[in-house]
Amino acid sequence: MTERPLMIHDWIKAILHIDADGFFASVEQAVNPLLKGKPVIVGAERGMATAVSYEAKAKGIKRGMLIHEIKKLCPDAVFINSDYEKYSLFSVRMFEILRRFSPQVEEYSIDEAFVDLTGLRRVYHCSYDEIGMRIKETIKKELGITVSVGISLTKVLAKVASKHKKPDGLTVIPGRQIHLYLQDLPIEKIWGIGHNTAAYCEKLGIKTALQFATKSESFIKKHFSKPFYEIWHELNGRSIYPVNPEPKKEYRSISKAKTFTPTKEKEEVYAHLVENLENACFKARRYGLCTKKIIIFIKTQDFRDRACEIRLNSETAYPEDIFPFMKRAFETIYEKGETYRQTGVVLVELTSMKMRQGSLFENQVKLDKIEKLYNTLDELKIRFGRDILVHGAVLNKKEKVKRQQRMKIPFINLKI
């Protein structure tokens, strides 16, 4: 006889988990219908697949694969540069749709969310299955993308359900059926249980989620720490993790790219990259955001990309803090003799300036000066346009002269 988790009641709570299918690639297909049905690879600017469409997955392509490997495997693959602002916009719209159905929405990531549906059957005069289907259909109709939905008594079980049928799936796990979905599910497939914990479980004779869920409370407390004790409760249908509707501390990514007259001049290529950084940081400051992770890329005349990721010790939205690191990163990706046509900067994992965690080694006096300086510059840019003041590194000697003649204003060399 099959063992069962302790919880057998169907709907003490109802938690929905929504997971967008191949989100970045699906957004690109929604925006450009000509890409539908084609193997789409997102991440061309980084030289690797950061997201792939289900058509690409069907051909064996996975996230993280290098572009040249993908071309050998799938010659007809379509490669696209990442557009994080576009994906963020779709994400915001998806979360807005979810909030039409319930005020309790947790933005778990850019393409995932939890929704508390408890008690809403009476409001909508239908089952939780039907509510889930309405949400799916609304997203498909308004955004042109598909999502997989799971509904169960807890967040962990809802995650199990949403992964059960992908893409475009809807799976509902009521209390009495929990054991049916856990009995063949490998323990490492459970949200919150990683490779090392799965290996430890195997030493204890636990290979499936059901074997873990049906262990006694005393056994779990003896062999596992608190987080896994909580997962054990969740697998048994007892909700431990509430849906948190508080706004996330992470916000959208900001990307700025510039295509220019092809050139071999190193100084000019770097100048365009600096201008991208200035514009990206200006937008971040306007929204009260900062970052400690930046991606820069340069594109050759024959559309080959080279990219580099920069990680800072602390968050910032001031180019002055980033320039030294970006200069070194640029040196690693620039190839002498190549002709370049585009540069780009992406600020990722943005967080609120108010939540910024400073470093012990920061010079607070210098930080205050930088902040005061950029506050003044931002006011001028907002009032007169962002080209009213630019960093000296943006322009080479010829461009400086042209800009002075055109704008009839002096260039300011600012030192901090």
Side-chain angles (χ1 to χ4, degrees), residues 134-189:
R134 288 187 190 181
I135 290 174
K136 279 173 55 64
E137 290 174 348
T138 303
I139 291 173
K140 184 181 290 187
K141 178 181 178 181
E142 296 188 17
L143 303 185
I145 63 174
T146 64
V147 296
S148 294
V149 168
I151 304 174
S152 193
L153 286 75
T154 69
K155 290 171 79 172
V156 171
L157 288 171
K159 284 272 282 187
V160 169
S162 67
K163 300 293 183 185
H164 189 68
K165 294 178 183 177
K166 285 185 72 69
D168 202 17
L170 172 62
T171 301
V172 180
I173 306 179
R176 288 176 293 181
Q177 295 180 12
I178 292 174
H179 64 290
L180 300 177
Y181 291 87
L182 301 187
Q183 60 188 2
D184 297 319
L185 187 66
I187 187 67
E188 63 267 23
K189 297 294 185 181

Side-chain angles (χ1 to χ4, degrees), residues 299-304 338-339 341:
K299 179 178 290 186
T300 64
Q301 175 66 356
D302 56 356
F303 294 90
R304 288 184 296 108
E338 285 282 3
T339 301
R341 69 186 307 274

Side-chain angles (χ1 to χ4, degrees), residues 33-47:
L34 294 177
L35 296 176
K36 290 186 176 180
K38 296 182 179 180
V40 175
I41 314 297
V42 177
E45 80 287 355
R46 301 181 67 177

Side-chain angles (χ1 to χ4, degrees), residues 105-233:
V105 175
E106 178 179 335
E107 300 175 15
Y108 182 66
S109 70
I110 192 171
D111 61 346
E112 287 185 70
F114 290 100
V115 185
D116 193 335
L117 299 179
T118 308
L120 294 182
R121 287 183 295 185
R122 180 172 297 179
V123 174
Y124 293 107
H125 306 289
C126 63
S127 67
Y128 291 128
D129 308 49
E130 292 172 300
I131 296 174
M133 185 56 70
R134 288 187 190 181
I135 290 174
K136 279 173 55 64
E137 290 174 348
T138 303
I139 291 173
K140 184 181 290 187
K141 178 181 178 181
E142 296 188 17
L143 303 185
I145 63 174
T146 64
V147 296
S148 294
V149 168
I151 304 174
S152 193
L153 286 75
T154 69
K155 290 171 79 172
V156 171
L157 288 171
K159 284 272 282 187
V160 169
S162 67
K163 300 293 183 185
H164 189 68
K165 294 178 183 177
K166 285 185 72 69
D168 202 17
L170 172 62
T171 301
V172 180
I173 306 179
R176 288 176 293 181
Q177 295 180 12
I178 292 174
H179 64 290
L180 300 177
Y181 291 87
L182 301 187
Q183 60 188 2
D184 297 319
L185 187 66
I187 187 67
E188 63 267 23
K189 297 294 185 181
I190 296 300
W191 180 40
I193 295 182
H195 176 74
N196 291 335
T197 304
Y200 174 62
C201 286
E202 191 164 351
K203 287 181 172 62
L204 297 173
I206 301 171
K207 295 183 179 181
T208 69
L210 183 62
Q211 289 173 337
F212 181 80
T214 52
K215 289 294 183 183
S216 67
E217 185 172 4
S218 59
F219 178 91
I220 297 297
K221 284 185 173 181
K222 178 181 177 181
H223 295 284
F224 295 91
S225 58
K226 182 181 177 183
F228 305 104
Y229 177 58
E230 293 173 342
I231 291 173
W232 174 79
H233 274 298

Side-chain angles (χ1 to χ4, degrees), residues 206-381:
I206 301 171
K207 295 183 179 181
T208 69
L210 183 62
Q211 289 173 337
F212 181 80
T214 52
K215 289 294 183 183
S216 67
E217 185 172 4
S218 59
F219 178 91
I220 297 297
K221 284 185 173 181
K222 178 181 177 181
H223 295 284
F224 295 91
S225 58
K226 182 181 177 183
F228 305 104
Y229 177 58
E230 293 173 342
I231 291 173
W232 174 79
H233 274 298
E234 288 258 328
L235 287 174
N236 278 284
R238 295 184 288 272
S239 181
I240 302 297
Y241 305 132
V243 172
N244 180 10
E246 292 298 315
K248 285 179 67 66
K249 294 182 178 63
E250 292 189 357
Y251 296 80
R252 68 186 63 190
S253 300
I254 295 174
S255 61
K256 294 295 178 182
K258 184 179 181 66
T259 301
F260 44 84
T261 302
T263 179
K264 292 184 178 181
E265 294 295 325
K266 182 178 181 180
E267 183 183 2
E268 187 177 342
V269 176
Y270 183 68
H272 288 296
L273 193 63
V274 170
E275 188 171 16
N276 289 327
L277 179 66
E278 288 261 78
N279 292 335
C281 286
F282 173 61
K283 185 171 184 178
R285 293 193 301 273
R286 289 195 67 181
Y287 286 90
L289 305 175
C290 56
T291 184
K292 61 191 300 186
K293 182 178 176 182
I294 303 105
I295 297 169
I296 66 170
F297 68 87
I298 53 179
K299 179 178 290 186
T300 64
Q301 175 66 356
D302 56 356
F303 294 90
R304 288 184 296 108
D305 296 288
R306 297 202 70 191
C308 185
E309 184 179 290
I310 302 168
R311 284 191 175 272
L312 309 176
N313 292 326
S314 57
E315 296 90 345
T316 186
Y318 305 124
E320 196 69 29
D321 295 332
I322 303 170
F323 284 141
F325 302 96
M326 188 170 80
K327 182 66 174 177
R328 291 198 291 269
F330 174 72
E331 294 291 345
T332 66
I333 60 176
Y334 177 83
E335 292 183 7
K336 187 177 181 180
E338 285 282 3
T339 301
Y340 293 94
R341 69 186 307 274
Q342 187 183 62
T343 63
V345 170
V346 186
L347 310 183
V348 295
E349 297 180 5
L350 292 165
T351 56
S352 170
M353 277 282 200
K354 296 178 181 179
M355 303 302 296
R356 181 181 180 275
Q357 299 293 320
S359 167
L360 293 174
F361 305 102
E362 287 180 337
N363 183 330
Q364 191 59 48
V365 174
K366 183 178 180 180
L367 282 175
D368 292 342
K369 283 186 176 181
I370 292 175
E371 182 178 358
K372 188 175 295 185
L373 170 64
Y374 277 103
N375 284 343
T376 301
L377 296 182
D378 290 348
E379 289 177 8
L380 290 171
K381 288 184 177 186

Side-chain angles (χ1 to χ4, degrees), residues 35 37-41 53 55-56 59 61 70-79:
L35 296 176
K38 296 182 179 180
V40 175
I41 314 297
S53 68
E55 294 85 355
K59 298 193 176 188
I61 300 171
I70 297 172
K71 288 180 178 178
K72 292 178 183 178
L73 186 63
C74 183
D76 60 336
V78 180
F79 299 95

